[in-house]
Amino acid sequence: AASFVGTGHSEGATPLLDVPDNAEAQVPTSIDLHTKPSWPIYFLMGLAVSSLFFVSSGLQFWVTPYMEQLYIAENSKRSLTESIQALRQDAHRMVVLLVMVISLTAPILGVIV
C-alpha cells in the first residue's frame, strides 16, 4: 500500500512513502541507542537546551535581588521619609511584575521576530 502524490492513483504518480502490507508487524518495540547513527546530535542538543535553562535560571535567581537592591538604592535617595520596609515591598512588587512581563513576552517575541 503506497501513498501517491496528487488525487487518485495513476501509473505516473510518484509514491510518497512505500509501506509494505505487513508494516505493523515490523514496528520495533524498543530503540537501541547504541546503534542510532545520530546519537551525538541528540546528546549535543540536550546539552544545549540544558545550558540555556541553566543560564536563564541563574539570571532569574541573581538578577531579581540585584534589581531590588538597585530600586531601593535609587528610591531611598529620593524619599527619606519612607521606611525601608515600604521600599523593600515596593521593590519586590516592581521586580516581580517586570520579571513576569519579560518572562511572558520574551518567548512570544522570540517566535515572532
Side-chain angles (χ1 to χ4, degrees):
S3 299
F4 291 92
V5 176
T7 59
H9 302 286
S10 63
E11 302 223 2
T14 307
L16 289 175
L17 180 63
D18 191 18
V19 179
D21 292 334
N22 62 351
E24 292 179 12
Q26 296 177 356
V27 175
T29 57
S30 66
I31 297 172
D32 186 16
L33 296 177
H34 299 290
T35 60
K36 196 159 196 62
S38 58
W39 173 246
I41 293 174
Y42 289 116
F43 176 75
L44 292 174
M45 293 303 290
L47 185 65
V49 170
S50 297
S51 299
L52 287 173
F53 279 122
F54 177 76
V55 170
S56 67
S57 298
L59 285 173
Q60 288 177 357
F61 182 77
W62 291 109
V63 168
T64 302
Y66 177 73
M67 289 174 61
E68 287 178 1
Q69 293 299 319
L70 283 178
Y71 184 85
I72 291 169
E74 287 293 320
N75 289 323
S76 65
K77 294 175 187 174
R78 292 182 190 160
S79 60
L80 298 174
T81 58
E82 282 191 64
S83 69
I84 192 71
Q85 187 64 26
L87 277 174
R88 284 186 180 154
Q89 288 176 350
D90 289 344
H92 185 71
R93 281 190 214 116
M94 178 64 73
V95 169
V96 167
L97 178 68
L98 287 174
V99 169
M100 184 176 63
V101 168
I102 291 169
S103 298
L104 292 174
T105 58
I108 296 168
L109 292 176
V111 169
I112 294 171
V113 175

